[in-house]
Amino acid sequence: MNLIKVLATLALVLAIAGCGNNSKFRSYDGPEVTQLMLFKEQRQLYLMHGQQTLKKYDVGLGFAPEGHKRVEGDGRTPEGYYYIDKRNPNSKYHLSIGISYPNPQDVEVARSMNLSPGGNIFIHGRGPLYRRGLPDDWTAGCISVKDKEIEQIYAMVEDGTPIAIYP
């Protein structure tokens, strides 16, 4: 009888261990990501170590992807030079890392129109609210990738990493 209990317990432990790690948090011990480069027209995000491409991702942009973000609610993804300034492990879009938009020039342009430049621009996943059939460019100005991809990006990219966003 004891042998049956031991075997049943062992089988249960192995079954639980076989379920794998469902955590969205990954580890990364490869080369440092020294810069991100986003090419909006190609919808490509590159994670770079110097001149070497470590990873490349297809992305979705804001629902009005052409042109530089000027004001809150315009649906555009910013263009220019920024840096990663925060992270949200509890994002409704799975995980997200923040981009330092608006910079002082962005603020000045929006103020000249008596409007807000907006903010809260992130690279994020899709999250549970994402539905198949949405257009590729569906965000309010953020950069979206698949959930498994933001897990990689979240692990690889440190706060303070520069990001260049090209038209």
Side-chain angles (χ1 to χ4, degrees):
M1 188 69 165
N2 280 341
L3 180 59
I4 293 173
K5 286 183 180 179
V6 169
L7 290 175
T9 303
L10 181 60
L12 179 62
V13 168
L14 289 174
I16 292 171
C19 291
N21 182 359
N22 289 329
S23 174
K24 61 185 175 181
F25 300 104
R26 306 277 175 244
S27 60
Y28 175 72
D29 64 358
E32 176 187 8
V33 176
T34 57
Q35 180 181 15
L36 292 90
M37 297 187 334
L38 173 66
F39 295 90
K40 287 173 57 175
E41 185 174 346
Q42 290 83 19
R43 307 297 193 277
Q44 298 280 297
L45 175 66
Y46 294 84
L47 276 57
M48 306 296 295
H49 174 75
Q51 298 299 311
Q52 176 189 6
T53 300
L54 299 174
K55 290 280 189 173
K56 178 179 86 167
Y57 301 96
D58 294 328
V59 301
L61 303 173
F63 62 82
E66 307 239 344
H68 174 57
K69 182 166 194 60
R70 297 282 182 221
V71 297
E72 185 173 13
D74 66 8
R76 293 181 176 156
T77 300
E79 296 171 357
Y81 299 96
Y82 301 94
Y83 60 92
I84 302 304
D85 66 347
K86 59 187 162 276
R87 50 192 62 238
N88 184 355
N90 301 310
S91 172
K92 66 180 177 181
Y93 301 107
H94 195 60
L95 291 170
S96 60
I97 59 173
I99 296 173
S100 62
Y101 175 89
N103 63 28
Q105 183 180 357
D106 297 321
V107 171
E108 185 179 315
V109 168
R111 282 191 182 154
S112 73
M113 296 183 277
N114 292 319
L115 296 169
S116 168
N120 289 323
I121 302 297
F122 287 85
I123 301 170
H124 61 66
R126 293 177 174 171
L129 302 177
Y130 180 84
R131 298 180 322 275
R132 289 196 188 277
L134 281 176
D136 291 339
D137 298 322
W138 60 275
T139 74
C142 294
I143 301 155
S144 71
V145 294
K146 295 175 182 170
D147 288 349
K148 292 293 182 193
E149 295 170 339
I150 192 60
E151 291 174 6
Q152 295 170 354
I153 295 166
Y154 195 91
M156 293 175 73
V157 176
E158 299 292 327
D159 289 359
T161 303
I163 178 169
I165 305 174
Y166 302 103

